[in-house]
Amino acid sequence: MKNFLRNIANRYGYAWTVLKGLVQTDFKLRYQGSILGVAWSVLKPLMLFCVMYIVFGRFLRMSDGTPTYPVVLLLGISSWQFVTESIGIGLRAIVDRGDLLRKIHFPNYIVVVSATVGAMISYAINLVVVLVFALVARVEFTWRVVLVPLNIIELYAFTLGLTLLMATIYVYFRDIAHIWEVLAQIIFYAMPIIYPLTYVTNRGGTIASLARLELLNPFAQTIQDIRHNLVAPATQPTIWNTFSNPIIQLFPVVLAVFVLWLGVHVFRKHSRKFAEVM
């Protein structure tokens, strides 16, 4: 029994060491050669935020009219950047690290997880910037901030599941990278990220009903929850206060868990064939 436990400890200890090394290496290489370095992880969402705020918030007037809207917008853009960065880098991880996987024996999933962890580090940096903006905007924080880590865990689980699925598909079908780029743009403009959900729901009718159904998407549900719990509980609708049916309320959470399970299952099933296919 002791030998069994020792083997498990050694195995996961080795996996953790490899994961930590890959995350550190990827994070350094990502900004190698640039003058601003890691600062780009903050500047990219800030630059996108400025453009989106001017276009949608000022010119098109797609705002909820509250002082917290700029912070809500920045928080949504930062959250979505985490998703696109995780999947965009993670789906190519197995192929890009093919030579390393052939030379060194370690679990294949680590290279995919390292991509998502690296994106999570950038996301954490961006959240610090969001908090600074929130303090400047005099956001009144409530007890709901304690729920934000749970929302982020759900967002990470759903993102990791999709990344594992796409990384598996990419080994066999490279076109999935181009398909994801198109889907990411569609989802970005379709979901309430650059516009407040209330901008659509307040219009009533069929459009408002369809807009509420967006909350069944775990991406939209988690991002709205993060906004609601961290910044603006009074103005940001969530699936919990939009629908009264507990089955509907729990649907995106169950879907996120299922996608994570499916991603792990499919990845493990095909991981032994990766070296042969590549």
Side-chain angles (χ1 to χ4, degrees), residues 80 186-195 214 217 219-220 223:
W80 183 244
I186 294 174
I187 296 172
F188 178 70
Y189 288 103
M191 285 198 318
I193 296 178
I194 55 178
Y195 64 88
E214 287 186 293
N217 176 354
F219 285 141
I223 291 176

Side-chain angles (χ1 to χ4, degrees), residues 143-144 147-148 150-152 154 197 212 214-229 233 236-256:
W143 65 268
R144 294 178 179 84
L147 300 176
V148 174
L150 296 177
N151 304 142
I152 294 176
E154 182 188 349
L197 185 60
R212 293 187 185 95
E214 287 186 293
L215 293 174
L216 298 179
N217 176 354
F219 285 141
Q221 175 256 316
T222 51
I223 291 176
Q224 282 297 110
D225 280 0
I226 293 171
R227 287 166 155 176
H228 176 275
N229 295 328
Q236 293 302 304
T238 67
I239 196 169
W240 313 102
N241 57 31
T242 301
F243 299 96
S244 58
N245 190 325
I247 297 178
I248 297 177
Q249 291 176 339
L250 292 174
F251 176 81
V253 179
V254 174
L255 180 59

Side-chain angles (χ1 to χ4, degrees), residues 5-109:
L5 294 175
R6 188 180 296 110
N7 290 335
I8 293 178
N10 292 336
R11 179 180 178 182
Y12 285 98
Y14 175 67
W16 170 252
T17 301
V18 174
L19 175 61
K20 185 169 64 173
L22 285 175
V23 170
Q24 292 174 346
T25 302
D26 289 343
F27 202 76
K28 291 178 181 179
L29 291 177
R30 189 176 305 175
Y31 304 104
Q32 188 177 27
S34 64
I35 297 176
L36 298 178
V38 181
W40 278 112
S41 64
V42 175
L43 289 176
K44 285 191 291 186
L46 280 178
M47 293 168 67
L48 182 60
F49 156 74
C50 292
V51 174
M52 294 300 176
Y53 181 69
I54 293 173
V55 174
F56 291 93
R58 293 298 183 181
F59 290 156
L60 299 181
R61 302 293 181 181
M62 296 176 66
S63 168
D64 58 11
T66 64
T68 59
Y69 173 71
V71 184
V72 167
L73 177 61
L74 178 59
L75 185 53
I77 290 175
S78 300
S79 300
W80 183 244
Q81 184 188 4
F82 158 71
V83 174
T84 55
E85 185 176 333
S86 295
I87 299 178
I89 299 175
L91 69 85
R92 295 180 172 87
I94 296 297
V95 175
D96 291 346
R97 295 282 188 179
D99 293 338
L100 179 63
L101 292 172
R102 295 187 190 96
K103 295 177 181 178
I104 305 175
H105 179 69
F106 61 89
N108 293 339
Y109 68 84

Side-chain angles (χ1 to χ4, degrees), residues 51 80 88 119 127 148 158 166-167 180 190 218 220 230 235 237 239 244 263:
V51 174
W80 183 244
L127 286 179
V148 174
F158 186 56
M166 292 191 185
W180 165 245
L230 183 61
T235 60
I239 196 169
S244 58

